[in-house]
């Protein structure tokens, strides 16, 4: 079982910035693809950004050019730098870790508890 702990959420004015952090409990953190999702009440969770150790990052169209996902494997941490925030970015942001295993074939997935981001004047 991998524990993921997010931090860095809060209240920010439109146009402001926040950096979210997510630290994992596993020593094999580098083997996981890490992602950030977000969810608003009544909606499904949507992918915001994803980063493996072997591929370029993936971003939702709505955050391209404003958000940046990075990771430091030795610190077992993934970050989401959010700039030029908009009210529509308001949501609970979740950290997500996943990897695929072969023997037997299966997928390991873990979620953090979520951190609230509110963009409002």
């Amino acid at each position: 079982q991998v524990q993921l702990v997010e931090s860095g959420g809060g209240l920010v004015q439109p146009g402001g910035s926040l950096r979210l952090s997510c630290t994992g409990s596993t020593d094999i953190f580098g083997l996981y693809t890490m992602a950030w999702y977000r969810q608003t009440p009544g909606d499904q969770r949507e992918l915001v950004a994803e980063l493996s150790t072997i591929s370029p990052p993936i971003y939702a169209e709505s955050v391209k050019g404003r958000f940046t996902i990075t990771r430091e494997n030795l610190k077992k941490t993934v970050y989401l730098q959010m700039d030029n925030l908009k009210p529509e970015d308001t949501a609970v942001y979740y950290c997500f870790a996943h990897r695929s295993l072969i023997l037997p074939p299966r997928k390991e997935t873990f979620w953090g508890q979520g951190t609230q981001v509110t963009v409002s004047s």
Side-chain angles (χ1 to χ4, degrees), residues 88-102:
E88 51 264 41
D89 294 319
T90 296
V92 178
Y93 284 70
Y94 295 91
C95 182
F96 179 62
H98 68 91
R99 67 169 180 157
S100 296
L101 301 173
I102 298 174

Side-chain angles (χ1 to χ4, degrees), residues 6 33-35 37-38 41 46 65 90 97-98 102 107 110:
E6 300 110 330
T33 294
M34 300 302 299
Y37 281 73
R38 66 186 181 187
E46 64 168 355
T90 296
H98 68 91
I102 298 174
K107 193 164 186 177
F110 303 98

